[in-house]
Amino acid sequence: MATMTAKTERRNFRFARRMKKMNVSAIREILKVSERPDIISFAGGMPAPELFPVEAVARAHAAVFADEGPESLQYSTTEGWRPLREWISNRMKQKGIDAHPDRVLMTSGSQQGIDLVARIFLEPGDTVIVENPCYLAALQTFTSYEASFIAVDSDDEGINVDQVEMALGNSNPKFIYIVSEFHNPKGTSLSTARRHQLIELSRRHQVPILEDDPYGELRYRGEARPPLAALDRDGLVIYLSTFSKTISPGMRLGWAVSSSELMQAMVIVKQASDLHTSTVEQRAAARLLAEFDYDGHIAELRREYGARCETMLDAIAKEFPAECRPTQPEGGLFVWVELPPSISGQDLFEEALADKVSFVPGAPFFASEPKENFIRLNFSNRPPDMIREGVSRIGRILKKRLI
Ligand code: PMP
């Protein structure tokens, strides 16, 4: 019994100062309730589990264990498994990114890439330019290094580059963080013209861009645009991507492409962080990609998610009051809806949850002055009939509130 008491007593630990700024993620609690099977959840950013290529992944693991068992269970290099880095290098070249395998660093998800970049650049008090609203876990990472934000407005074509230019003129940010394609939470993409302008600003001010592109492969409509990394001629863009949305987030495989100098810095901090990304998973992914029709699989994801996205947009157009403004994503996993100013996303969430449907209220995504009248809806994780039903329930609540 004595040990039980000792475990539950509050100790006076002298936590690092940065812990004071790190709050429990506002959306974690929402995600926890949303996991209940009776809830139609549009809350998480999760792929559809029924579309995971489970058998092909199992076969790839079996082949790795059969042919390279001991090596696959051994420690390995921080940079990552060379055949996988070569595959990624080729894939990146198809997108116009000059990515020699020596400059591809395997990471434990692209989330670790964000952390490594933050770790090599940020000291307490430094600033980062972010699009407002912004991917929440990136804000959390930068906050953990005691950085603050220059929050720049955005519209349906992405970040406002005039404001970025002003911010670069007035202050000295360490880097610019951008989700260029199918933004989280907005679902919007940076226009091609703004991509060129941003690259020019980065070059002129010699401020790096952290381009986070986990969703680029998931385009359902419209024409692909060049990643910022494909336009960069000065080694100023660090490009991150991941297999989380195309193969499996549970495998935790992402990568960073950068200049040799930045790659070296990231390798040093990654070594101190986790030595290397899982040897088994990297080898299994390399096997999978060598034998599996990856493009065929992505085509299937595009078809299915594209249909779900369209179902959600149609249902919103039909069921939500006309005053609501959804974004019109061409890909990715999210629709972002601006509600009439009198309606708070948090209040709507609480009412919707009582009606067994959930989503994420928009306020936590803002890096400055939270706006209450936004919500983020995910469409990848539920089949079309549930999407229609869930949207219709939210629509009923909204209409009642506007009477
Ligand atoms: N960046 C963005 C914009 C994301 O939405 C996510 C996943 N939610 C990540 C990074 C992290 O993905 P990963 O699973 O590759 O760590």
Side-chain angles (χ1 to χ4, degrees):
M1 285 320 268
T3 29
M4 290 272 299
T5 324
K7 273 188 185 159
T8 50
E9 232 172 59
R10 275 186 82 80
R11 299 262 170 229
N12 208 8
F13 290 119
R14 290 172 300 143
F15 285 124
R17 189 180 59 186
R18 74 180 75 94
M19 290 305 290
K20 291 207 173 68
K21 295 197 173 168
M22 298 215 49
N23 303 317
V24 177
S25 155
I27 74 169
R28 267 188 90 84
E29 297 307 309
I30 290 171
L31 295 181
K32 247 190 255 166
V33 274
S34 303
E35 273 170 20
R36 283 178 10 210
D38 58 326
I39 303 281
I40 299 179
S41 175
F42 303 135
M46 288 196 279
E50 66 275 21
L51 298 177
F52 287 142
V54 178
E55 279 175 25
V57 172
R59 276 198 304 277
H61 280 84
V64 165
F65 285 125
D67 301 342
E68 33 188 316
E71 302 91 314
S72 76
L73 295 174
Q74 190 55 282
Y75 284 117
S76 53
T77 58
T78 304
E79 288 83 349
W81 177 230
R82 186 78 187 190
L84 183 57
R85 293 163 68 208
E86 282 169 0
W87 186 94
I88 290 168
S89 159
N90 281 329
R91 188 91 186 169
M92 295 296 93
K93 283 179 190 156
Q94 288 163 20
K95 291 180 183 291
I97 300 174
D98 166 28
H100 189 279
D102 286 350
R103 291 185 288 99
V104 175
L105 169 65
M106 294 309 302
T107 58
S108 301
S110 44
Q111 189 64 36
Q112 188 186 40
I114 298 173
D115 183 68
L116 298 179
V117 171
R119 203 181 290 211
I120 65 174
F121 280 113
L122 296 179
E123 292 179 77
D126 280 345
T127 55
V128 178
I129 293 184
V130 297
E131 180 171 346
N132 206 24
C134 181
Y135 171 49
L136 193 58
L139 294 178
Q140 286 174 315
T141 302
F142 304 148
T143 301
S144 77
Y145 293 96
E146 300 178 67
S148 50
F149 303 113
I150 303 172
V152 172
D153 293 336
S154 68
D155 57 25
D156 288 347
E157 295 191 3
I159 197 163
N160 179 321
V161 281
D162 295 335
Q163 280 184 31
V164 172
E165 182 165 18
M166 229 151 47
L168 288 168
N170 297 337
S171 55
N172 198 11
K174 277 289 175 72
F175 58 87
I176 304 167
Y177 170 72
I178 291 283
V179 179
S180 45
E181 282 286 75
F182 319 131
H183 187 267
N184 179 0
K186 290 182 69 181
T188 48
S189 294
L190 189 63
S191 71
T192 305
R194 288 189 193 179
R195 287 174 198 236
H196 285 280
Q197 288 167 316
L198 212 54
I199 287 292
E200 173 54 22
L201 287 174
S202 151
R203 191 194 59 75
R204 197 161 1 117
H205 292 268
Q206 292 292 296
V207 171
I209 296 175
L210 173 55
E211 180 177 29
D212 184 12
D213 185 23
Y215 303 111
E217 299 276 8
L218 299 179
R219 170 173 286 284
Y220 320 130
R221 303 184 277 136
E223 290 293 310
R225 298 185 181 88
L228 290 161
L231 305 175
D232 173 35
R233 297 282 166 270
D234 301 274
L236 283 165
V237 175
I238 305 160
Y239 177 87
L240 305 179
S241 193
T242 177
F243 290 119
S244 284
K245 317 295 172 181
T246 54
I247 302 176
S248 140
M251 290 172 80
R252 307 306 301 132
L253 291 177
W255 63 91
V257 178
S258 64
S259 69
S260 308
E261 185 185 359
L262 292 173
M263 164 95 183
Q264 220 174 2
M266 283 194 281
V267 167
I268 292 168
V269 294
K270 179 171 165 65
Q271 205 161 26
S273 167
D274 67 351
L275 300 181
H276 61 78
T277 293
S278 162
T279 319
V280 178
E281 295 310 312
Q282 291 187 69
R283 284 179 182 247
R287 281 281 182 142
L288 177 78
L289 293 162
E291 287 155 21
F292 167 72
D293 181 9
Y294 184 63
D295 284 319
H297 175 64
I298 288 179
E300 188 191 340
L301 295 180
R302 286 186 182 139
R303 259 194 312 279
E304 188 54 41
Y305 292 161
R308 293 179 188 198
C309 179
E310 212 177 300
T311 302
M312 182 167 270
L313 291 173
D314 286 351
I316 291 174
K318 236 192 292 150
E319 309 280 356
F320 280 22
E323 297 90 327
C324 295
R325 254 202 87 242
T327 52
Q328 299 293 323
E330 295 188 336
L333 304 184
F334 305 108
V335 178
W336 176 249
V337 186
E338 180 172 2
L339 307 170
S342 61
I343 296 182
S344 127
Q346 181 64 34
D347 292 350
L348 183 67
F349 166 75
E350 278 155 30
E351 255 189 273
L353 195 62
D355 218 357
K356 297 197 162 28
V357 51
S358 79
F359 50 80
V360 182
F365 295 98
F366 288 92
S368 68
E369 295 156 50
K371 294 185 184 161
E372 300 293 337
N373 60 318
F374 287 87
I375 59 173
R376 188 192 76 176
L377 300 170
N378 163 267
F379 52 76
S380 58
N381 192 246
R382 289 288 186 272
D385 55 335
M386 277 203 196
I387 292 176
R388 273 188 288 272
E389 176 57 31
V391 168
S392 137
R393 287 185 206 172
I394 303 169
R396 272 201 300 273
I397 303 170
L398 280 168
K399 282 175 187 156
K400 240 183 3 209
R401 284 185 154 245
L402 285 180
I403 290 172

